[in-house]
Amino acid sequence: MTQPIAPVFHRVGNRRHEFTLAPDGNRDWHRGRVPGLSRHWLKWRGGYNPKTLQRERRLADKRPLWWLIGLGGLACAAPMLPDTLLQVAVVFCVFAAINVIWTLIIGAAGILSLATMAVVGLAGYAAAAANVYLGVPWPLMFAVGAFVGLVVGGLLALPSTRIDGLYYALLTIGVAEICRVSISQIRALAPQNSSINNVGSFIPQDWYLQRPGLLLGFATAFVLLLLALLLFRVINSERLGLQLQAAREDEDFSEAVGIDYRRARLHVFLISSAALGFVGAYYAMLYRSISLNVFSLDQLLLMFAMIVIGGMGRAEGAVIGTAIVVVIDRALIDLGPLRIILIAAVMIAVTLTTHHGLADVRSQFRGWRHRIRSERRAASTRKGGEVMPEEATEIADKQLIAYRRFDRRLRDRLKEMVTPELIEQHRSAPLGPHSDALARVLNYFRRGEMPDKYAILQEGDAGAWRYSVMALSGEPGKPPRVVDDRVYETRDEAYHAVFLLRVNDLLES
Amino acid sequence: MDAALIVYALNLSAIYALMAIGISLLWSSIGMLNMAHGATFAVAGYGTLVLGNALLPLVEAVFDGWAILPLLKMTVLLLSGVTVGALFGGLIYLLGFLPIHDKANFPVRGMIVTLAINLATVQALLWWFGPRQQALPNVFGFGRLNLFGIPLRYDQAMTIGATVVLLGVVLAWLRLSRKGLEIRAMMQNAEGAALSGISVRRTALPVVAVTGAMAGAAAVLLSQTVYVSPGAGAMPLIKGMIIALLGGLGSVPGAAIAALLVGTLEAVTGAIPFLGQRMVLVVQFGFIITVLIIRPRGIGGLLSETRK
C-alpha cells in the first residue's frame, strides 16, 4: 500500500511572509473593544484564504506592534544601562513627551507655534516658585504647572486667531526670549543666577543623583511619555482631532457642515498648553531646580530639529526624531560642537529629501516605487499576449494575469534560443538525445494548449506508411483539420515538420 | 528728546533696516524666510575679521599718511563684509533654495533648511574661532564730530551714512536695472513672471546674494561698537525678523519705517530711567505684538504692497 503524499504548500504572493493567525473556523467572528467605547483595541482583519479556504486573521495596522517593541525595549533595557546612559534615556522620555504634545499643536491644531519651551519654562518656574516660596507640597506643583500652562496658552492663543502661519511662528520665537529677559529681571532670583533651586520632588532628597533616584526618575519620565502619547491618541483620533482633520482638508466645507474649527483649534491649543505646563512642573521636580537655560534659543532650535527630523504632525515622528537628536546630542558628547553640526546636517538632509520627515519615509518610498513601476509599464509598447494594466482589472482570476506575463517572458527567452543549428539538430534526431536549449523549446511546445495543437496522421499500409500533419480543434466532438497537403515518408520527417510549424508559430507570436 | 538720542536711534534704525529689509526682500521675491540671516551676519563678521587683518596692513603701507586713510580702511572692511555676506548668501541659495524651491510646502521647508544652516554655522564658528568675543579693528577711534551742533561719533556717522548709501544703491538697482525689473516682476506675481520668461532660479541668486551682502554690511557696521562672536547673529536675526513682520513681511518701505520706529523705541526705552536698557526687549516685543494683533499685516498692510 502506498503512502499518501502530503501536499506541499509554497508561500506565494507579494506579502507571503506576513504573519497571520489561524483562528478556529467554527468560532464566531469577534474583536475586543475598549471598555466603555466603541473602539477596537487593534485593527484585526478577518478573511478566508482563497486557496486553502481556512480562516485567517491579520493585523492590518501594525503600528501598535512597533510601539510595543520600541517602548517595551526601552523600558526593559533602561534598568541595565549605566548611569550616564540612563540619564540620556530620561532626557529622551521628557523631550519626547514635550515633542508629542507640541506635535499636537503643530500637527492637529495646525498652529505653527515655537513658544513650546516658553510655556514649559514659565510653568516650571511658577511651580518651582510655588513650592519653594509659598510652601506648596510637591504633588500640587503639577496642578500649579498645568494651570500656569493653561493661562500662558490662553495668552499665546490670542494672536493666533488673527495672525496666520509663518507670521505667528516668527512672533512666537521672540516669546521665549521675552520670558528669559523678564525672569532675569526678577531681583529676588538674582543671587542664584535667576534659577530656583532645592525644589521639592517625588525623588527623595538623599536619592537625588543616586542610582535609585535615577531609576525612579526614568520610571516617572517613561510614564510621562506614555501619558503624552495617550493624550495625543485621545485628542488626535477622537472628536476634536477628526474635526481638525476635516478643517485641514477643506476649511470652508468643514465650516459649512457645522464644524467650528477655530474653536476646536483653540481647545487643542489650550489642552496642549496645560499639558506642557504639567511637563514643566515635572521638569522642575526631576532636576530639583529650574534655570534660564529652558528658554534658550539653542534649546528651542534643537527641539524643533527633533520634530522636523521625525516629521511634523505624527506622534511616531516626534519620538523617532527625539531619539535621533538626543542620541547625537547627549550620547556622543565627545564630539563637541561637531554634534550640533551633525544634527543640522541630518535636518537638512531629511528636509531636502523627504516630504514629511523620517516617519513617512516608508510610504514615500512606496509612492516612489509605484510611480516608477507605472511609468515603466506605461512606457512599454510590447504586448505579446501579456495582460495590459487596464484589462487586468477586468480579469477575476489574477493567476491568469501572472501566467500570461510569465508565458510572454518565457517565449521571449525561447525565441533567442531558436537558431539554424538548433533546427538542424532536431532534424537529425527528432527523438533525441537533445541539447539543453532544444529540450527547453520542446518542453514548452509540449505544454501548449489543446486548441490548434498539432498531431500526426498515419495512413496507408504497414511498411508503406504515409504521414501528414493535422491540427486538433480542442473542442470535444469537433474533428481535427488538415494543416497542409504535404505528405511525409518517415515518421521522423513528420516530427520535424511539426517542430518547424511550432517554431514558426513561436517566432510569429 | 535730545540730539544724541536721535543720533543713537538713527544708528540703531540703520542696522535694523539693513537686516529687516534683507529678510523682507527675500520673502517677497522668492517666498523664503531666511532664518540663516543671523548666520550670514556672524560669518560676515568673522570673514571681515580675517580679511581685515590680512588687508589692512597692506592698505596702511600703501596709503600711509593720506588724509582719507580711515575712510579707505572702512571701505576695505565694508567690501570684505559685503563680499563674504554675498558668498554666504550663495551657499544659502545652493542649499536652501535650489533643491526645493519648486517642491511642495517650500516656505516651511525653506525655513527649516535655513534654520539648520544657522544652527550648523554658529557651531562651526564656535568650533573654529572659539567662544571668545573678538574686536574688529577700530578704524575711527572714538572721536566725535560736530554736525550742525549735534555731537556725532565717527562710527555712528559712518553707520548712518553707509546704510543710507547702501540702501539707496540697492533700491536704485531694484528700480532701474533690468535685473531689478525682473525681481520686481517676481515680487508682484511669481507665476506671471515665470510665464513671461523670467527664470526664477537665475533671478533668485542675485536677490539672495544682495540680501546676504546687506547682512554683511550690517555686521561690519555694528561690529564697530559690538564685538564679533559666534552667537552674534541671533539677536539681529530675531530683531530683523520681528521688524520685517512689523513692516508687513515683503514690503520694503514698510520694513524701513518699522526699523525707524523700533530703533527710536529702543533708544527712548533705554533712556527712560525706570525702564532702562534691560527692559528694551520686552517693551519692543510688547509693542510689535500689539501692533500685529491690531493690524496683522503690519505697516506694509497700510501701504498695501505685501505678498499674500
Side-chain angles (χ1 to χ4, degrees):
Chain A
M1 191 186 140
T2 52
Q3 284 292 114
I5 299 168
V8 180
F9 289 106
H10 295 283
R11 289 174 172 270
V12 292
N14 275 343
R15 317 184 71 179
R16 57 185 175 278
H17 298 299
E18 189 176 24
F19 181 73
T20 51
L21 296 181
D24 182 4
N26 294 322
R27 279 187 58 200
D28 285 345
W29 291 52
H30 113 104
R31 270 185 296 171
R33 289 178 194 274
V34 183
L37 298 175
S38 57
R39 298 262 174 207
H40 297 291
W41 285 110
L42 292 169
K43 195 175 174 185
W44 288 108
R45 289 288 176 267
Y48 291 96
N49 186 317
K51 290 280 171 204
T52 62
L53 296 184
Q54 279 172 328
R55 272 274 296 277
E56 273 183 355
R57 214 169 191 217
R58 198 165 55 78
L59 194 56
D61 182 0
K62 295 189 187 58
R63 279 176 297 181
L65 211 61
W66 296 117
W67 278 112
L68 189 71
I69 293 173
L71 292 179
L74 179 68
C76 295
M80 287 170 265
L81 292 176
D83 282 1
T84 48
L85 285 182
L86 191 59
Q87 276 169 334
V88 174
V90 172
V91 169
F92 162 74
C93 286
V94 176
F95 282 178
I98 295 175
N99 283 336
V100 166
I101 300 170
W102 191 7
T103 298
L104 215 47
I105 298 177
I106 292 184
I111 301 173
L112 195 51
S113 163
L114 298 175
T116 324
M117 290 313 283
V119 177
V120 171
L122 280 182
Y125 260 100
N131 177 266
V132 174
Y133 299 108
L134 303 178
V136 173
W138 68 262
L140 283 179
M141 279 172 68
F142 288 118
V144 174
F147 178 73
V148 172
L150 189 68
V151 172
V152 177
L155 289 177
L156 281 173
L158 278 181
S160 77
T161 51
R162 298 268 302 162
I163 305 167
D164 49 19
L166 288 174
Y167 287 69
Y168 187 71
L170 287 187
L171 202 63
T172 46
I173 288 182
V175 172
E177 198 60 25
I178 298 183
C179 296
R180 199 175 63 82
V181 174
S182 310
I183 288 179
S184 69
Q185 297 302 308
I186 299 173
R187 295 252 162 75
L189 295 180
Q192 46 219 330
N193 216 357
S194 290
S195 60
I196 300 180
N197 301 319
N198 295 323
V199 181
S201 171
F202 47 84
I203 303 174
Q205 181 77 55
D206 44 345
W207 277 14
Y208 185 60
L209 284 182
Q210 303 300 311
R211 184 74 187 174
L214 287 177
L215 283 175
L216 183 62
F218 174 77
T220 51
F222 191 73
V223 171
L224 187 78
L225 175 57
L226 292 185
L227 286 178
L229 287 171
L230 181 70
L231 182 78
F232 185 89
R233 177 69 174 73
V234 165
I235 289 186
N236 195 45
S237 320
E238 299 294 330
R239 190 172 187 79
L240 270 177
L242 293 180
Q243 284 181 344
L244 288 170
Q245 193 183 337
R248 272 202 301 279
E249 274 161 29
D250 191 336
E251 287 193 351
D252 295 333
F253 177 77
S254 59
E255 200 161 22
V257 296
I259 295 173
D260 190 350
Y261 64 88
R262 290 190 189 84
R263 199 167 132 163
R265 251 178 221 168
L266 189 67
H267 282 176
V268 171
F269 194 86
L270 288 179
I271 294 171
S272 311
S273 299
L276 284 175
F278 185 90
V279 178
Y282 173 84
Y283 189 86
M285 282 187 240
L286 180 67
Y287 294 110
R288 301 192 71 101
S289 74
I290 189 156
S291 72
L292 286 180
N293 283 340
V294 192
F295 297 114
S296 77
L297 190 64
D298 289 344
Q299 185 61 51
L300 178 69
L301 291 187
L302 222 51
M303 308 282 286
F304 192 60
M306 298 175 194
I307 291 229
V308 165
I309 288 172
M312 281 193 230
R314 299 170 65 160
E316 55 264 44
V319 175
I320 293 172
T322 310
I324 292 173
V325 174
V326 167
V327 165
I328 295 178
D329 186 39
R330 300 290 167 113
L332 305 177
I333 208 131
D334 301 335
L335 290 179
L338 200 61
R339 61 190 202 280
I340 306 287
I341 298 175
L342 197 63
I343 291 172
V346 173
M347 203 170 156
I348 292 177
V350 166
T351 316
L352 292 188
T353 52
T354 68
H355 298 157
H356 301 287
L358 283 181
D360 194 47
V361 149
R362 193 166 124 134
S363 68
Q364 194 183 338
F365 172 71
R366 284 185 178 168
W368 173 79
R369 194 173 58 182
H370 190 243
R371 190 166 51 80
I372 294 289
R373 269 186 191 168
S374 61
E375 273 174 11
R376 202 173 288 158
R377 221 182 285 132
S380 76
T381 49
R382 287 180 310 158
K383 190 172 173 203
E386 190 178 347
V387 179
M388 293 306 266
E390 56 274 13
E391 21 174 348
T393 49
E394 314 275 312
I395 300 174
D397 184 3
K398 302 302 176 197
Q399 270 196 318
L400 187 64
I401 301 171
Y403 172 71
R404 284 186 31 197
R405 187 187 303 142
F406 166 76
D407 193 48
R408 204 205 81 187
R409 290 182 188 170
L410 185 62
R411 268 183 281 126
D412 284 350
R413 282 198 51 188
L414 291 180
K415 276 179 199 174
E416 290 168 8
M417 291 182 184
V418 176
T419 53
E421 293 81 48
L422 188 102
I423 293 171
E424 177 54 33
Q425 191 197 355
H426 185 269
R427 199 193 60 73
S428 57
L431 293 181
H434 299 316
S435 69
D436 180 62
L438 185 56
R440 279 168 194 272
V441 173
L442 287 173
N443 261 335
Y444 176 73
F445 290 162
R446 288 184 191 118
R447 279 196 294 110
E449 288 170 7
M450 198 46 88
D452 285 338
K453 202 165 186 176
Y454 297 109
I456 295 172
L457 176 69
Q458 184 183 15
E459 282 174 314
D461 305 314
W465 296 116
R466 289 179 299 120
Y467 302 93
S468 57
V469 179
M470 313 190 64
L472 301 175
S473 70
E475 284 175 48
K478 208 176 165 190
R481 64 186 164 85
V482 178
V483 175
D484 52 19
D485 51 2
R486 264 185 257 174
V487 175
Y488 303 97
E489 297 298 319
T490 64
R491 195 179 280 186
D492 281 0
E493 274 175 39
Y495 282 144
H496 188 60
V498 169
F499 177 75
L500 286 178
L501 281 169
R502 297 297 312 256
V503 165
N504 198 31
D505 290 351
L506 172 69
L507 292 180
E508 271 175 10
S509 72
Chain B
M1 198 193 292
D2 73 80
L5 201 61
I6 295 177
V7 171
Y8 182 52
L10 279 179
N11 187 20
L12 285 174
S13 307
I15 305 269
Y16 291 162
L18 276 178
M19 292 301 282
I21 289 177
I23 292 167
S24 223
L25 205 59
L26 215 50
W27 169 254
S28 63
S29 57
I30 58 176
M32 184 165 86
L33 264 185
N34 188 2
M35 303 298 278
H37 218 58
T40 315
F41 186 91
V43 167
Y46 274 101
T48 315
L49 194 74
V50 173
L51 279 179
N53 283 341
L55 290 179
L56 282 187
L58 213 69
V59 176
E60 272 170 19
V62 175
F63 298 99
D64 195 24
W66 290 38
I68 53 164
L69 183 62
L71 212 60
L72 272 178
K73 277 157 84 175
M74 191 64 214
T75 315
V76 167
L77 286 186
L78 257 182
L79 275 182
S80 34
V82 163
T83 315
V84 174
L87 284 179
F88 196 75
L91 179 74
I92 293 171
Y93 170 83
L94 282 182
L95 269 180
F97 178 79
L98 210 49
I100 48 171
H101 75 99
D102 50 355
K103 303 273 172 62
N105 216 355
F106 168 63
V108 175
R109 283 166 85 182
M111 187 181 95
I112 293 166
V113 172
T114 48
L115 208 65
I117 295 175
N118 197 30
L119 209 62
T121 313
V122 170
Q123 294 299 322
L125 287 177
L126 200 65
W127 193 31
W128 194 258
F129 292 99
R132 200 165 54 84
Q133 295 187 334
Q134 298 185 32
L136 222 57
N138 194 315
V139 180
F140 295 105
F142 293 96
R144 284 163 188 276
L145 91 173
N146 243 333
L147 198 70
F148 312 121
I150 303 170
L152 204 59
R153 278 210 324 260
Y154 281 134
D155 58 288
Q156 285 178 337
M158 188 67 209
T159 303
I160 296 167
T163 304
V164 169
V165 170
L166 261 174
L167 285 184
V169 168
V170 169
L171 290 181
W173 175 70
L174 274 181
R175 185 83 28 210
L176 301 176
S177 72
R178 171 103 197 152
K179 210 60 185 178
L181 185 68
E182 289 178 2
I183 293 168
R184 279 184 295 137
M186 213 158 66
M187 277 170 159
Q188 282 174 9
N189 187 342
E191 229 165 279
L195 287 175
S196 333
I198 296 172
S199 159
V200 178
R201 295 184 170 189
R202 286 213 191 139
T203 318
L205 183 57
V207 182
V208 183
V210 163
T211 51
M214 283 161 83
V220 175
L221 292 174
L222 192 67
S223 54
Q224 289 295 310
T225 41
V226 178
Y227 296 105
V228 179
S229 67
M235 236 329 114
L237 170 72
I238 292 182
K239 282 193 177 168
M241 281 281 169
I242 300 279
I243 291 165
L245 264 186
L246 178 65
L249 266 183
S251 156
V252 174
I257 295 172
L260 215 55
L261 265 178
V262 171
T264 314
L265 188 73
E266 179 166 340
V268 170
T269 316
I272 295 173
F274 67 90
L275 286 174
Q277 204 62 47
R278 316 185 74 181
M279 293 304 278
V280 162
L281 211 58
V282 180
V283 172
Q284 249 175 16
F285 279 107
F287 170 71
I288 290 166
I289 289 172
T290 318
V291 171
L292 282 183
I293 289 174
I294 299 166
R295 294 214 64 91
R297 292 272 165 206
I299 296 168
L302 299 171
L303 305 172
S304 75
E305 229 191 86
T306 47
R307 186 192 179 104
K308 285 268 154 51

